Amino acid sequence: MARLQIHTGLPDVTLDVMIPEYMKSLKAQEAGISEKEYYENRNLPVLWLLHGARGNAADWPRYSMVEVYAEEKGLIVVCPTGNNGWWVNQAAGIPWEDVVTEKLWELVHGTFPTSDMPEDNYIAGLSMGGYGAMRIGLRHPERYSRIAAFSAGFGIPRRYAAGGFNALSGEETFGDPDKVLGSQYDEFYTAEERAASGNPLPPIYLSCGTKDGLYDINVEYREHLKKLGYDVVWDEAPYAHEWRFWDQQVEKFIKTLP
Amino acid sequence: MAYVRLTMMSGRLHGKTDISVFLPSKKRPAGMGGRGAVPKASYDKNEVYQVLWLIHGGGDDYTAWALDAMIQRACDAAQLIVIMPTILDLAGTRKDIDIMGFMTEELPEAMRFMFPISPRRQDNFIAGLSYGGYFSYRCAMTHPDMYACVGSFSSPLDVAEDVRRLHAGDPSFDSEKITGTDRDILYLTSKLKEEGREMPKSFQTVGTEDFTWDFNITARDHFMKLNMDHTFIQRPGTHNFEFWDAALKDFLEWLPLTRSTVRKERF
């Protein structure tokens, strides 16, 4: 894969992009496909991959082997930086959801050899990025057709509403605690809203380590989705909140893609 | 303007190589100012940009034009995609890597795949500073069907003379082995002229205090004698980025820029 580290020119937003390349595609070379023929297809699927809290665009490329898995699949990977903004349009901060679904959507699809059809765009993330991918994926059927969340930070808006979460930009992000539940920030509500929208429901990949403090809330979210009629693939393994687990998970998720 | 640092695997170089890329901002409707303010939903997969292949000087790399020069805003205004590769062998003396194959075959294929770049001759320009300008002329005059324009800034275009005077005794340079080969710009241009082939329009600039002045002048006189479509600009200055910042801006003024994207259906 070619690796692109991008200063986008948009305030606060950097981007790490990985694009399959001929010299690393043994499959194409063994099949006798020439460089020119290989590069003729400028219509590749895209995996949007969101980082966790205290992370940035370089986390996925640094700590996982996603490059190897995506290379085998012929997939472009896009990793944005979203600071500690929970990937939502913050109550008093940056509109991260708009950044991802509009500004970066334009930059990525206007520049790189991608398909911009929803059936070729998938969104996934870990921890805070799992919450973000789930919420953004459910709210934008016109953009993404598959969603994955690993060790997702579900239940944070609920804790914030109850006064139990004040770390990591809670106030800047979610605003008035009395108005959070049942709002656009409440991922349980988002799943209900999508189920009631009449749009087809996307297949969902959910997973969490059994030693992770977020295990119970992820199980609860899985049951919530199932009750609403979503098709959920679940996976778990004896891990805590850690990269060894997320590396395995991103490989498994990529293998489920068409 | 977006800045990209790209790392790719090259077959011709047998390894990874780093490249800087400038991507122009979308042109903004009047009144929409501000850094990074782009109009909504404004991409089109059928729009491609003109491209400038921009080469650093000897011993330098992909960061030279991006960091040492101050040319980003001028490139943005020109609505060009600028590709700044790392060229490890500007003089063409190494046997272990195929620098010409990289620059004129592998890199264009890969960049046209990754970025919205026009493949048409009339939208492709190549230029460089010092030995990078010599290398640019070598690419353009061996592949006159690929580039519409070529530029050199303070470059020893009469490279055989440069080698005789400044690199005598260096075993990797041998002026006798340059004259009359595809490393000799004077020979390449004479040959194209003889064959009656269309040549890229050429641009050459050098500072009057530059140590490459003499090998610029002999090359210029040769191009004039051949009656090439050649532009020569001299200005006070020496061999530094202050000069090259200004040179690049002159070069952009001189290029046949569309200053907008080109629709693929038109070619």
Side-chain angles (χ1 to χ4, degrees), chain B:
Chain B
M1 161 75 67
Y3 169 72
V4 181
R5 177 196 166 176
L6 189 154
T7 304
M8 69 172 272
M9 175 73 162
S10 161
R12 309 299 201 286
L13 306 179
H14 308 295
K16 298 278 190 337
T17 187
D18 286 322
I19 300 161
S20 290
V21 181
F22 291 157
L23 300 173
S25 334
K26 294 271 162 54
K27 269 196 178 166
R28 294 153 194 163
M32 264 193 80
R35 190 164 162 261
V38 288
K40 238 175 161 179
S42 57
Y43 72 89
D44 182 336
K45 291 255 181 211
N46 289 313
E47 302 276 342
V48 290
Y49 288 90
Q50 293 187 311
V51 54
L52 171 61
W53 308 88
L54 191 57
I55 317 295
H56 56 77
D60 219 326
D61 62 22
Y62 70 102
T63 60
W65 279 110
L67 297 182
D68 293 332
M70 308 222 286
I71 59 167
Q72 284 130 314
R73 273 182 301 148
C75 292
D76 197 24
Q79 291 285 296
L80 280 166
I81 286 186
V82 185
I83 311 271
M84 293 156 274
T86 301
I87 302 297
L88 293 168
D89 181 27
L90 289 168
T93 56
R94 284 174 61 167
K95 303 269 189 297
D96 56 334
I97 53 175
D98 173 12
I99 203 70
M100 290 299 286
F102 172 71
M103 189 63 213
T104 59
E105 291 163 24
E106 186 176 31
L107 187 66
E109 292 286 355
M111 295 300 99
R112 280 168 201 160
F113 167 65
M114 286 183 212
F115 300 107
I117 291 172
S118 168
R120 297 190 305 182
R121 178 184 193 268
Q122 69 203 75
D123 298 321
N124 278 262
F125 317 123
I126 186 169
L129 69 89
S130 195
Y131 252 78
Y134 157 72
F135 180 72
S136 300
Y137 266 69
R138 190 176 169 215
C139 291
M141 297 307 170
T142 51
H143 295 76
D145 49 332
M146 275 183 69
Y147 308 96
C149 300
V150 59
S152 73
F153 319 137
S154 326
S155 306
L157 291 179
D158 184 354
V159 74
E161 188 58 24
D162 166 69
V163 166
R164 266 193 292 275
R165 292 231 223 136
L166 299 182
H167 301 280
D170 184 334
S172 62
F173 291 100
D174 182 345
S175 63
E176 296 312 312
K177 287 187 187 151
I178 294 171
T179 306
T181 71
D182 73 351
R183 289 168 61 195
D184 176 356
I185 306 300
L186 308 192
Y187 166 76
L188 288 172
T189 46
S190 296
K191 190 161 148 262
L192 285 176
K193 203 76 192 178
E194 257 169 51
E195 291 166 357
R197 294 178 63 186
E198 187 177 5
M199 296 169 77
K201 284 179 66 174
S202 48
F203 176 100
Q204 177 187 14
T205 184
V206 62
T208 46
E209 280 73 55
D210 194 299
F211 67 90
T212 65
W213 173 263
D214 291 351
F215 334 122
N216 268 276
I217 295 307
T218 46
R220 179 200 64 184
D221 293 347
H222 176 82
F223 301 149
M224 292 304 184
K225 211 163 60 198
L226 290 179
N227 210 11
M228 282 164 51
D229 189 343
H230 186 72
T231 299
F232 177 85
I233 295 179
Q234 68 181 69
R235 64 163 79 224
T238 171
H239 210 71
N240 60 23
F241 271 99
E242 223 160 69
F243 183 84
W244 298 320
D245 281 346
L248 194 273
K249 281 162 197 164
D250 282 348
F251 182 63
L252 291 177
E253 282 299 312
W254 172 84
L255 282 176
L257 297 176
T258 56
R259 293 187 189 272
S260 67
T261 51
V262 189
R263 283 198 75 80
K264 271 191 202 166
E265 292 92 78
R266 293 206 197 116
F267 53 91

Side-chain angles (χ1 to χ4, degrees), chain A residues 2-7 10 20-21 23 35-36 39 41-42 102 105-106 109-114 116, chain B residues 1-9 11-12 35-36 39-43 45 106 109 112-116:
Chain A
R3 182 184 179 202
L4 292 78
Q5 294 164 272
I6 308 178
H7 167 82
L10 299 166
E21 58 186 343
M23 279 312 294
E35 206 163 353
K36 212 180 181 106
Y39 287 142
N41 177 18
R42 293 193 86 250
E102 290 173 21
W105 182 269
E106 279 170 34
H109 291 300
T111 307
F112 302 118
T114 59
D116 58 3
Chain B
M1 161 75 67
Y3 169 72
V4 181
R5 177 196 166 176
L6 189 154
T7 304
M8 69 172 272
M9 175 73 162
R12 309 299 201 286
R35 190 164 162 261
K40 238 175 161 179
S42 57
Y43 72 89
K45 291 255 181 211
E106 186 176 31
E109 292 286 355
R112 280 168 201 160
F113 167 65
M114 286 183 212
F115 300 107

